[in-house]
Amino acid sequence: RVLSLELNKDRDVERIHGSGINTLDIEPIEGRYMLSGGSDGVIVLYDLENFSRKPSYTCKALCSVGRSHPDAHRFSVETVQWYPHDTGMFTSSSFDKTLKVWDTNTLQPADVFHFEGTVYSHHMSPLSLFLLFTVGTKSPKVQLCDLKSGSCSHILQGHRQEVLAVSWSPRHEYVLATASADSKVKLWDVRRASGCLTTLDQHNGEKSRASSEAVNTAHNGRVNGLCYTSDGLHLLTVGTDDRMRLWNSSTGENTLVNYGKVCNESRKGLKFTISCGCSPEFAFVPHGSTIAVYTIFSGELITMLRGHYNTVDCCVFQPNFQELYSGSKDCNILAWIPALREPVPDDVSEKSLPQQHLNPAYEDAWSSSDED
């Protein structure tokens, strides 16, 4: 289904944002409600369900925190995330140096966390019932905030520059990954006093003497995006060196998969995503006004999804239906849906069709003859 993703001509997402869309999140409970955050501080909540029962429909915006809302973010919203365990709460963080915890029903902030610098990224663990989220800001210190106490409980020190992306492991509830402008990616265990488990090294410890690169760098530039595979066994990172790297998350080893040049000019965090429930797994990486689709383990560029008119800033995968949603500076959210088969001309009966009318992903490769 992922191999046949195409822009869905029958499904629109209601256009509410008046400026670029930086971040999207679909809640993991039903996969039905989606949040978006814009560069003007606006947050919108959509229902992706088709109530019309017609093939063509628009995903409606249920509500929004608009610019006139007294508690709206003053500057660009960089990350939105649903509370992983129910849809009654969601979080948003912004360049206005705050992270807000929202009550979905009242659209009022239940809590507000203030930081010294711009907030680039935050993430709440999908596993942990401890209400801990990690926050990456302009400061090199990674902050852990506790929703229960309403305060920042913990600081992880080790980066030298701003922290552009953070993500908890979907496999180990105490482990998280952070990516920084200092070219480094660190894995942490928040139960340990020192915190840091390892600093990822693109050379796997085999750096040549001639190389002047700093020790233990994950990229030769700012590392501005990271994403775990759904099983948590691997970590994918992107950097402004136009490279994407796949790491074994338990050993920290660079798997050396070659994706070629992965253009990345983002000055802030790049919100890319990985498929879930597919074999093989795919990465969807914003690339100018398109989205590049790679197979994660072979590094092959499968296709470029074209449809936006301006830079794509984020994409999110809906695993129940293998759909992709993307947000762009063109103020649009596009839905990419698997095309099940090529259209059949009206005057041809299905039975007389040659086999190639089926999308190759669905052809039956099984054979009953012994020679094959």
Side-chain angles (χ1 to χ4, degrees):
R1 286 170 67 81
V2 170
L3 289 173
S4 57
L5 278 180
E6 62 175 36
L7 186 59
N8 191 322
K9 301 168 189 68
D10 297 324
R11 185 182 317 182
D12 286 321
V13 179
E14 190 176 352
R15 183 169 164 159
I16 303 288
H17 286 280
S19 69
I21 296 158
N22 295 327
T23 171
L24 295 168
D25 192 39
I26 295 174
E27 46 85 15
I29 315 295
E30 293 177 81
R32 172 176 166 183
Y33 299 105
M34 180 169 74
L35 290 167
S36 62
S39 49
D40 55 0
V42 171
I43 298 168
V44 184
L45 195 164
Y46 306 88
D47 188 343
L48 303 178
E49 189 94 14
N50 179 9
F51 285 113
S52 70
R53 299 281 178 261
K54 295 178 185 147
S56 296
Y57 69 102
T58 298
C59 299
K60 290 288 183 199
L62 296 180
C63 54
S64 65
V65 179
R67 296 177 70 171
S68 58
H69 190 292
D71 297 300
H73 283 291
R74 294 199 319 281
F75 302 128
S76 174
V77 175
E78 291 299 303
T79 311
V80 288
Q81 190 195 359
W82 287 101
Y83 176 56
H85 306 293
D86 70 59
T87 53
M89 183 166 79
F90 66 88
T91 52
S92 63
S93 58
S94 162
F95 277 180
D96 67 9
K97 306 180 183 177
T98 66
L99 183 150
K100 299 189 179 189
V101 181
W102 299 86
D103 179 318
T104 311
N105 299 311
T106 63
L107 281 194
Q108 297 299 319
D111 215 337
V112 181
F113 292 82
H114 296 269
F115 300 91
E116 287 169 23
T118 303
V119 183
Y120 288 105
S121 172
H122 79 270
H123 191 231
M124 192 180 282
S125 169
L127 298 179
S128 175
L129 290 170
F130 307 105
L131 300 176
L132 261 191
F133 43 84
T134 180
V135 185
T137 69
K138 209 164 179 67
S139 155
K141 296 173 183 168
V142 179
Q143 315 222 31
L144 296 182
C145 298
D146 185 348
L147 256 183
K148 278 206 182 84
S149 68
S151 65
C152 287
S153 61
H154 216 83
I155 285 176
L156 303 174
Q157 302 205 50
H159 283 299
R160 297 223 168 95
Q161 292 182 47
E162 63 239 63
V163 178
L164 299 172
V166 296
S167 178
W168 289 92
S169 161
R171 193 176 188 87
H172 304 291
E173 62 178 305
Y174 298 104
V175 173
L176 69 100
T178 58
S180 166
D182 64 8
S183 306
K184 297 194 174 187
V185 173
K186 289 179 178 286
L187 301 181
W188 313 80
D189 182 333
V190 298
R191 296 168 301 180
R192 289 169 54 140
S194 65
C196 192
L197 287 170
T198 183
T199 302
L200 300 183
D201 175 16
Q202 60 182 305
H203 304 290
N204 289 333
E206 297 169 14
K207 199 162 66 72
S208 68
R209 287 198 196 118
S211 163
S212 60
E213 286 154 18
V215 180
N216 283 14
T217 54
H219 288 265
N220 302 329
R222 298 154 60 89
V223 192
N224 59 351
L226 46 77
C227 191
Y228 275 99
T229 52
S230 55
D231 59 13
L233 292 174
H234 291 85
L235 180 69
L236 203 55
T237 61
V238 291
T240 54
D241 55 358
D242 293 339
R243 287 282 175 260
M244 182 156 73
R245 297 205 163 92
L246 182 72
W247 310 83
N248 178 318
S249 62
S250 55
T251 64
E253 184 185 9
N254 180 359
T255 62
L256 304 176
V257 175
N258 181 7
Y259 300 95
K261 185 177 179 186
V262 180
C263 287
N264 177 355
E265 292 164 6
S266 175
R267 298 297 305 148
K268 50 185 189 176
L270 187 72
K271 307 281 197 284
F272 69 101
T273 192
I274 292 178
S275 66
C276 176
C278 306
S279 180
E281 297 285 1
F282 300 90
F284 305 95
V285 185
H287 179 285
S289 63
T290 65
I291 301 156
V293 184
Y294 296 90
T295 48
I296 288 182
F297 295 106
S298 67
E300 195 181 346
L301 174 60
I302 298 290
T303 186
M304 305 287 275
L305 301 177
R306 301 175 196 280
H308 282 290
Y309 301 112
N310 205 328
T311 308
V312 178
D313 281 325
C314 55
C315 45
V316 65
F317 191 71
Q318 208 283 23
N320 305 8
F321 302 111
Q322 258 101 44
E323 298 168 348
L324 185 76
Y325 290 85
S326 57
S328 158
K329 283 195 172 60
D330 64 13
C331 310
N332 290 321
I333 296 173
L334 298 184
W336 308 86
I337 313 291
L340 279 184
R341 55 166 61 208
E342 294 165 17
V344 176
D346 292 339
D347 54 345
V348 181
S349 84
E350 291 235 5
K351 284 183 184 144
S352 65
L353 274 180
Q355 197 62 29
Q356 69 261 26
H357 268 277
L358 267 177
N359 182 309
Y362 310 101
E363 278 184 27
D364 187 357
W366 183 75
S367 166
S368 57
S369 80
D370 296 338
E371 295 84 56
D372 293 355

